[in-house]
Amino acid sequence: MAMASLKILEETHVAPYSVTTTTTNSTLPLTSFDTYWFKFPPAQCLYLYSLPKETTFFLNSLLPKLKHSLSLTLQHFLPLAGKLTWPQHSPKPIALYTPGDVVSLSIAESNADFDTLSSNQPFQASKVRPLLSPLHVSETGVSIMALKITVFPNKGFCIGLTTHHGLVDGKSAAMFMKSWAYLSSQENPQLPPLLPEELTPFYDRTVIKDPSGFEMKVLNYIIGDNPGSTSSDCRNNPKLFEFESFQSSDLDELYRAIFELSRSDIDKLRRKVSNSNPNELHLSSFVLTYAYIFDCFLKATTEDKTKSTVFILFTADYRNRLTPPVPGNYLGNCVVAKSNFEDMREHVIGKEKEGVDSFTAIVMIVSDLVKSVGKEKDLYYEIEKDIVTFPATESDNSCHVGVAGSPSLGFYNTDFGWGRPKKFVVVSIENGAISMAECGDGSGGIEVGLVLKKHQMDHFASLFHNGLSHNNNNNIV
């Protein structure tokens, strides 16, 4: 891809729509599920839409509608226009919306190759970074959301979404985007605007029943870096609102690509494991997809010293698994990390000596983790144990293959009135994580995104495709 240029056309802000002038602040306390992710790097993704129109058409016809519908949507999502902060009188951080708060919105034009950016083919990871805006970080707080809309003349446009993981999990972000798309697609939305129940955010924090003192434990570990830290110590930490740095510094050496597993491919993987292992395994599409990608990842990065030790890590949505259940439209974090802190390279070698192939060995681990979801004797004890154990697994030689997104979130159902996205891309996976989404063609398959060095990506692609070939049913990767 030739060197691309990006021109900023407008730096603006969008305020929540309001029919009256209000002077009342809106606050939302963070739960332990939120503070768990407080220092995590922002989640960043792209929605790319095909629209073969000139820039002037986009600026004059589409952009005003996108801005107006964004304002209408923010009326329902006030916290996203605010910031995360920690007032002196508060025992923990809060999301604070103050009348006059706005969402940063950048408008840009790019001559980059839209067809490449919206394809599955490998390209330099650095190419998508200009399509996103950063969150604003200060000593007193950090913005919760930033947006960037980039038009590609005669090709399409892209919406870049950046959100703070301390308040917004994947399901919350997807709900916001679908709400914005819903109001944009309405010819004449009523005022004040109404959203369908499933897209109307639920804010009641009392549905999260944190055990007494547990929030402070999480704050001490995540923010205070010390189990003995006090609330004041955490609040006065000069780096309170800075993020952990997971992003690779050599993006120009990294390539990103998307690989598709069809329903037929997943069925093939299921038969392969079922034929070789009679044990009771949970062979869902997620388990099989993650295990297969993980297996290819292990083999493609064998010589990478930064990935000498590799761990399994994914998150599970607990909205319908807590007691009482949390509504599906709850805005906030309600995901729990599920980890296995055994080095999978060593585990696979051990299993292969027992006659178990690498893919099946990984399936067995992931299956057990998935089966444990929602069945913990003490969920909060498990969360605390993971928080304490995780730092010991971090090093310059280790990698956690996390999962961003989910096929169940329906990213491709985000239609602003001009059709479904041509491609959905999770950008914030340069740390060794992968992304998952449903296939954009509605076929029931799964799209998996990942970022690797060029030679590793080539090796991964060979492993991925050869393992699924019709002549290789009994020898998958």
Side-chain angles (χ1 to χ4, degrees):
M1 195 187 303
M3 182 67 70
S5 64
L6 183 138
K7 179 172 64 176
I8 299 296
L9 304 179
E10 181 183 5
E11 294 281 9
T12 186
H13 300 89
V14 177
Y17 173 83
S18 179
V19 293
T20 61
T21 301
T22 177
T23 58
T24 305
N25 291 347
S26 174
T27 62
L28 197 62
L30 302 191
T31 72
S32 59
F33 289 97
D34 296 317
T35 54
Y36 182 97
W37 301 99
F38 194 87
K39 302 289 285 184
F40 205 77
Q44 297 181 301
C45 60
L46 305 172
Y47 291 77
L48 295 111
Y49 294 86
S50 180
L51 193 72
K53 298 287 186 179
E54 295 282 355
T55 299
T56 52
F57 173 84
F58 176 82
L59 295 177
N60 296 331
S61 300
L62 272 64
L63 184 58
K65 190 167 188 177
L66 285 170
K67 286 182 176 179
H68 179 61
S69 56
L70 173 59
S71 177
L72 297 180
T73 308
L74 289 172
Q75 184 184 40
H76 294 274
F77 291 81
L78 286 180
L80 301 191
K83 64 180 180 179
L84 292 183
T85 187
W86 196 341
Q88 289 294 322
H89 65 270
S90 176
K92 58 185 177 181
I94 61 171
L96 172 66
Y97 169 77
T98 302
D101 283 348
V102 292
V103 169
S104 169
L105 174 64
S106 297
I107 311 300
E109 181 184 63
S110 173
N111 66 353
D113 189 334
F114 179 82
D115 292 330
T116 297
L117 296 178
S118 57
S119 73
N120 292 345
Q121 300 306 309
F123 59 86
Q124 282 184 300
S126 58
K127 299 297 183 184
V128 294
R129 277 285 157 194
L131 306 178
L132 294 155
S133 291
L135 299 179
H136 176 68
V137 182
S138 71
E139 292 184 359
T140 59
V142 55
S143 58
I144 295 171
M145 183 172 71
L147 292 162
K148 190 169 193 174
I149 301 176
T150 304
V151 58
F152 300 82
N154 298 310
K155 285 293 185 177
F157 69 97
C158 166
I159 299 178
L161 173 69
T162 302
T163 53
H164 197 300
H165 212 324
L167 183 68
V168 185
D169 64 7
K171 190 163 189 175
S172 298
M175 179 173 65
F176 165 76
M177 289 298 292
K178 289 176 186 176
S179 299
W180 182 12
Y182 173 83
L183 291 176
S184 171
S185 64
Q186 304 299 301
E187 283 299 324
N188 294 294
Q190 64 182 90
L191 300 177
L194 296 178
L195 290 170
E197 182 179 356
E198 68 273 13
L199 296 180
T200 303
F202 179 89
Y203 291 110
D204 186 358
R205 275 349 200 210
T206 62
V207 297
I208 303 292
K209 307 296 183 183
D210 282 329
S212 177
F214 186 72
E215 291 170 315
M216 199 60 227
K217 281 187 177 181
V218 175
L219 286 169
N220 288 341
Y221 284 118
I222 302 299
I223 299 176
D225 295 326
N226 184 340
S229 299
T230 65
S231 177
S232 179
D233 291 335
C234 294
R235 185 192 301 111
N236 296 325
N237 184 334
K239 297 182 178 180
L240 174 62
F241 298 106
E242 294 182 12
F243 301 106
E244 293 179 357
S245 180
F246 291 158
Q247 181 179 315
S248 173
S249 58
D250 55 352
L251 283 183
D252 286 336
E253 297 181 11
L254 297 177
Y255 280 68
R256 62 185 310 124
I258 291 176
F259 295 84
E260 292 187 7
L261 280 163
S262 67
R263 294 178 68 175
S264 174
D265 293 331
I266 295 170
D267 287 340
K268 187 184 301 182
L269 295 174
R270 185 176 290 112
R271 289 193 300 271
K272 197 272 181 185
V273 178
S274 299
N275 292 339
S276 63
N277 194 296
N279 295 331
E280 288 287 332
L281 295 175
H282 183 81
L283 300 180
S284 65
S285 295
F286 170 80
V287 169
L288 294 164
T289 299
Y290 181 62
Y292 185 62
I293 296 297
F294 196 102
D295 195 17
C296 294
F297 182 94
L298 281 182
K299 291 179 170 65
T301 59
T302 302
E303 304 300 325
D304 191 334
K305 292 182 179 180
T306 67
K307 297 175 177 61
S308 298
T309 307
V310 185
F311 300 100
I312 285 174
L313 173 68
F314 59 88
T315 59
D317 187 354
Y318 270 69
R319 282 171 173 79
N320 64 350
R321 295 181 171 107
L322 296 179
T323 303
V326 174
N329 56 344
Y330 173 83
L331 188 131
N333 284 286
C334 202
V335 292
V336 175
K338 305 299 293 185
S339 310
N340 180 283
F341 294 121
E342 180 180 4
D343 174 22
M344 291 306 295
R345 291 198 189 277
E346 292 296 326
H347 177 80
V348 165
I349 291 172
K351 285 296 183 180
E352 287 180 330
K353 290 179 180 178
E354 299 174 9
V356 180
D357 67 273
S358 57
F359 171 60
T360 301
I362 298 168
V363 167
M364 293 166 67
I365 295 288
V366 181
S367 170
D368 285 345
L369 283 173
V370 170
K371 287 196 292 185
S372 73
V373 172
K375 298 178 182 177
E376 301 87 354
K377 290 183 179 179
D378 187 337
L379 172 63
Y380 294 92
Y381 169 77
E382 296 293 333
I383 293 174
E384 183 179 359
K385 185 174 70 173
D386 276 3
I387 292 174
V388 173
T389 306
F390 185 82
T393 66
E394 292 185 292
S395 75
D396 293 337
N397 302 318
S398 67
C399 172
H400 296 79
V401 184
V403 181
S406 168
S408 66
L409 294 180
F411 299 109
Y412 284 94
N413 294 329
T414 311
D415 183 350
F416 284 82
W418 304 288
R420 290 157 58 90
K422 180 179 180 183
K423 186 60 66 178
F424 170 77
V425 177
V426 178
V427 175
S428 47
I429 55 170
E430 294 119 342
N431 61 333
I434 64 173
S435 66
M436 283 195 197
E438 79 281 14
C439 278
D441 60 7
S443 62
I446 295 177
E447 293 182 356
V448 180
L450 76 160
V451 177
L452 292 169
K453 292 180 179 179
K454 181 64 167 63
H455 70 281
Q456 294 172 340
M457 186 68 79
D458 292 341
H459 190 189
F460 181 97
S462 176
L463 291 164
F464 179 88
H465 295 299
N466 289 341
L468 295 172
S469 66
H470 293 294
N471 297 324
N472 202 22
N473 290 352
N474 296 318
N475 188 31
I476 293 177
V477 297

